[in-house]
Amino acid sequence: MIVDTLANRHLYTKLHPRLASALAHLAETDFTAKAVGNYELDGKNLFVIVNDYETKPREVGPFEAHQQYIDVQYVVSGAEEFGYLPLADQTPSKPYYDKHDYAEFDFESNKQAAAFIPLKTGMFAIFFPGDIHMPGTFATPQKVRKVVIKVRI
């Protein structure tokens, strides 16, 4: 997992060529003017999800992990926290669902091991397979516009 701002995106461009494209797209696009929805950049290899939502309490959402994609989550406006813990001996509460590339992990079973990290306007988080994460949380509801770029590994 990586948390940073777009000013430092150059530090991560050599990790994966499509990750470099994702970070460049975030830096070059005005997402305040984009409509909510999904946009392909390179078919199923690289695509963008623009979403507006209100954060939820930690206790409401499950953790998730992916196998086929890296998540690049960028906050355009607002603020949230995300829960994070490395995938180790956890057992999913819902098995891996190949079609949507995720497995869910129960909050109650993992809350003691999780760290909750703020993600504010202009910041991004990169979640690799093996990074269990719970995006979109905050103690009090907050309006957020966030872009998620899915990067096939």
Side-chain angles (χ1 to χ4, degrees):
M1 185 241 342
I2 295 169
V3 178
D4 210 335
T5 65
L6 289 177
N8 295 322
R9 69 187 181 278
H10 64 280
L11 299 172
Y12 313 106
T13 57
K14 294 189 179 183
L15 294 175
H16 193 285
R18 283 191 284 270
L19 185 56
S21 296
L23 292 170
H25 187 70
L26 287 174
E28 296 163 0
T29 305
D30 178 6
F31 286 104
T32 62
K34 278 274 195 197
V36 169
N38 297 358
Y39 303 91
E40 288 187 0
L41 295 178
D42 181 16
K44 294 198 182 286
N45 289 322
L46 193 64
F47 61 94
V48 179
I49 303 164
V50 178
N51 202 3
D52 290 332
Y53 59 89
E54 197 167 271
T55 59
K56 61 189 183 299
R58 296 174 183 175
E59 299 78 17
V60 174
F63 288 91
E64 63 186 44
H66 309 290
Q67 293 179 10
Q68 299 174 36
Y69 287 90
I70 298 167
D71 267 9
V72 181
Q73 299 192 11
Y74 174 70
V75 175
V76 177
S77 62
E80 67 177 41
E81 292 179 329
F82 65 87
Y84 167 78
L85 65 153
L87 181 60
D89 296 327
Q90 294 89 346
T91 301
S93 55
K94 290 187 180 176
Y96 178 73
Y97 184 47
D98 185 59
K99 182 178 179 185
H100 293 288
D101 185 41
Y102 75 93
E104 287 187 2
F105 296 82
D106 179 73
F107 172 76
E108 282 301 316
S109 302
N110 292 293
K111 69 181 179 182
Q112 298 301 332
F116 282 83
I117 301 162
L119 200 60
K120 299 176 182 178
T121 300
M123 295 176 70
F124 66 85
I126 301 174
F127 300 105
F128 297 92
D131 291 334
I132 298 176
H133 55 286
M134 180 197 302
T137 70
F138 211 81
T140 57
Q142 306 285 317
K143 291 190 181 297
V144 175
R145 171 162 274 226
K146 184 163 71 176
V147 173
V148 178
I149 300 186
K150 303 294 268 183
V151 180
R152 186 185 293 272
I153 53 174

